[in-house]
Amino acid sequence: MVAIDFNTGWSVQPNQSIFAQLSGGVGAQPVTLPHDAMLALPRTPDAPSGDSSGYFTGGSVAYTRTLDVPTDWRNQRVSLRFDGVYRDAAVYVNGDYAGQHPNGYAPFRIALDPFLRYGEPNEVRVEARAHRDSRWYSGLGIHRGVQLDVSGMVHFDGDGPRVSTPDVDDERAVVEIVHRVTNEGVSTVTARVETRLFDPGGAPVGVSSSPVTVRAGDSVLARQRLYVPQPRRWSVDEPSLYRAHGTLTVDSVAPDESTTSFGVRTLRLDPQHGLRINDEVVKLRGACIHHDNGMLGSAAIPRAEERRIELLKAAGFNAVRAAHNMISTPMLDACDRLGMLVMDEAFDMWAKGKNPFDYSLAFPEWWERDVEAMVERDFSHPSVIMYSIGNEVLDIGTPLGAVTGRALAEKVRELDSTRYVTNGISGFVATIADTLTQFQGEVAQLDSSGGVNELMSQMDELIDQISLSDAVTEKTVEGHAVLDVAGHNYAASRYAGELERFPDRIVLGTETLATQIDRNWALVQQYPHVLGDFTWTGFDYLGEAGLGVTRYADAPDQEMPISAYPALAAYCGDLDLTGYRRPSSYYREIVFGLRAEPYIAVRRPESHGRDRRALGWAWSDTVSSWTWDVEPGAPMMVEVYSHAASVELFLNGESVGVQPTGAAHRFRAEFELAYQPGVLRAVAHGGAEMSVASASGERMLSARADRDVISADPADLAYVTIEIVDADGTLFTSRDQPVTVDVTGPAVLQGLGSARPITEESYLAGSHTTFDGRLLAVLRPTGPGSIALTAAGRSLGPVTVRVTASRPGTVTAL
């Protein structure tokens, strides 16, 4: 099979009827895939999906591309492999309908042969739409990569060989390789399948060859077992990857080829030890992540996907949950290479919808095909340890809903018996129909007794109480029974009790609040049957706008909506939209026991003495800075996080006081002091310390790229951080202003923006306002050569950073 990158040469325009096109319509714009068309659409306060979509209006678009088809393809099989199109994709070839796919995240393949005109250009058209069908920012269009596959009549089928390692010890690893061989010719053939294995350094370690006979119009499985001596095991700390290369030869015809990477590793699961990888207990330090890439929208450009995993791993996470949809292929590849465990999640809804036009309308007919596509794609990836069949699905609390869950779980096991099955079950959602009246009564009582602030602070506790109830236990018992791992969303209160009620049940915090990580992690460490914790969320994302934003009122009874236009981002990630670590990330690192130094987080001075309004997903409104535009003597609140027994805070060398920290005090201390510019220093018991200094003097811009050399391939990107600093490089966090960016050389400005969660600025413009002193520019290469980015702002002299785009080597197609 010849795999051809099919991501360039496209154009996109609004999807218009043939009658609108007669009157001229709207012209097409050239684009490179992956691409998100939503970012170019308007945002309005009355957008149909409201804060869920970040107030983007949604719509329908059409992508077109010309494909030159040589005459020697007449006896070949030609297809397109889409990694994901959002949503309700319809594919046309030369104006004729070729296929469709309603799921916005599942990979799918479209056969082109019946529609091709050989020896001339052919038009491929892909329509997509987004319209009140998502609870978060979905993006719109061909947001994942496309690959053109050309093969002979007898060929390997699928996404490559399926590789597993069913028996491993220090002496050898049994490697089982399964190739699907398809014969689309008119006569029976006997072919030869050969598989060669290569170790992580590229040295050959095994070969197997066998004949395979396939009838016309049939497919067979060619199964081979090889034995690798002294295997190097894949793990989070040492992600060693082997490679299996298969060739399929029929007489003298040029062979079909297929290659996949795989890891040698074992998984074990029981309530006495929890999860063991290569016989070592692993606790999951997990991050839930949505699929968008901040200012790139939903475009799953390979480097963007890789960078997110790099940053999450550097922040202390060892696992990601693809919430609440199937992960992209480039991100899976990155997790394999970098050593990040994956829970791949299939659906956010089953047959009961959460939005008027969501996937629930297609679920009854399409779920089985989409599960097959997910498992087919994931099977050989060692990073994948678990599949999730759903998230807070509304069906789960009924017997017939459990029937659906059982069908999904058994389908996954039929396709892949080497991984485990879970489901992110919310006991509150599962029983909401029965508990709604009680819940509304409790909320009304809170509202009348304590006001809005009291209501918000106790909502999470109320949901937790309901999750602990006998009604939840009874209604979810069958839904949990069909799983290998019982996933609990926002129900850590159930962990200890599960051991008594269901001694063989293994549980996992599939979704939890960042503010509760210290308590949750103590339970994870205490109980072997609790596998780990997945926070909401590891990386900030677009949509669900304002979920983690903190607002302030001047009086307890003042109305203060948490989310309203122009809110754009959720603002609840450990890492913000630009990938910069927020204070919650360092707090988590301390709780995990991965950081010895204390961490200083300063509350924004405008919050002092005001009534705080925030949902449970909001961290304290803090910044690690001692640069504030307030008068000396202004009251300030400082939070210090530490694993030590106590911390002492110093301002300009003078002690502010000593406060206890550590687990008994939730790893944090608070200090109130009067602001004075200078140096704020925290010293933990034992000597570890951290300090933050005030910026002073002339302001200037600094710009630095994440890498000096990138590949001259549109799958790669350069990330340039732009900051307002003083002469020592200290950030001015409280003097934000617009900065304009100009790019010269073989690249385009793919995105420009900040982590600001509430904004009307576009990520597609050449100018953007900093947030806490920072901006991020993303460059996408268009060819080899020297790229220069120049940034300038009002009264801020220009600064230039240069990146070299070298000729690409081997880059994955998707």
Side-chain angles (χ1 to χ4, degrees), residues 21-171:
Q21 294 177 44
L22 289 174
S23 60
V26 179
Q29 298 294 320
V31 295
T32 298
L33 306 182
H35 175 258
D36 179 7
M38 183 80 84
L39 290 177
L41 297 180
R43 297 176 64 223
T44 64
D46 57 353
S49 295
D51 58 2
S52 295
S53 68
Y55 296 96
F56 280 93
T57 55
S60 180
V61 293
Y63 292 80
T64 56
R65 187 195 194 279
T66 298
L67 168 63
D68 290 321
V69 181
T71 55
D72 59 5
W73 283 8
R74 192 179 298 276
N75 295 318
Q76 304 285 301
R77 302 291 74 164
V78 183
S79 63
L80 284 178
R81 197 270 198 189
F82 294 87
D83 201 36
V85 179
Y86 201 91
R87 181 182 169 272
D88 283 319
V91 182
Y92 301 84
V93 179
N94 296 321
D96 292 317
Y97 169 82
Q100 68 183 102
H101 203 93
N103 190 301
Y105 305 100
F108 63 97
R109 191 177 296 275
I110 298 293
L112 304 185
D113 309 286
F115 316 99
L116 294 178
R117 301 167 184 166
Y118 298 96
E120 60 181 279
N122 290 248
E123 184 192 72
V124 177
R125 177 184 173 91
V126 181
E127 297 178 358
R129 47 198 58 80
H131 50 113
R132 297 187 67 190
D133 54 10
S134 178
R135 296 188 301 113
W136 54 86
Y137 176 89
S138 63
L140 168 63
I142 310 179
H143 65 111
R144 294 179 176 176
V146 184
Q147 179 176 289
L148 178 70
D149 291 336
V150 182
S151 65
M153 291 296 186
V154 182
H155 57 85
F156 287 132
D157 219 352
D159 294 329
R162 291 162 55 102
V163 184
S164 60
T165 55
D167 186 1
V168 180
D169 59 30
D170 291 340
E171 182 183 353

Side-chain angles (χ1 to χ4, degrees), residues 9 20 27 62 121 125 146 175 220 249 256 259 290 312 579 612 653 701 730 770 787 790 805:
R125 177 184 173 91
V146 184
V175 180
V220 300
T249 307
D256 195 3
T259 300
H290 269 321
L312 287 167
R612 181 177 184 265
L701 285 177
T730 304
T770 60
I787 303 165
T790 300

Side-chain angles (χ1 to χ4, degrees), residues 613-671:
R613 303 288 171 81
L615 298 174
W617 291 273
W619 194 256
S620 59
D621 192 12
T622 51
V623 183
S624 187
S625 171
W626 198 238
T627 303
W628 302 100
D629 281 341
V630 295
E631 293 295 325
M636 302 287 292
M637 290 298 300
V638 175
E639 300 174 6
V640 181
Y641 314 141
S642 176
H643 209 283
S646 64
V647 294
E648 185 170 9
L649 189 67
F650 296 86
L651 176 58
N652 296 328
E654 296 186 6
S655 177
V656 175
V658 179
Q659 294 280 0
T661 48
H665 298 275
R666 304 198 66 187
F667 302 97
R668 70 177 71 205
E670 293 184 0
F671 298 85

Side-chain angles (χ1 to χ4, degrees), residues 710-718 746-748 779-784 787 805:
I710 62 174
S711 174
D713 187 297
D716 206 353
L717 299 167
V748 295
L779 305 178
R780 193 173 193 180
T782 57
I787 303 165

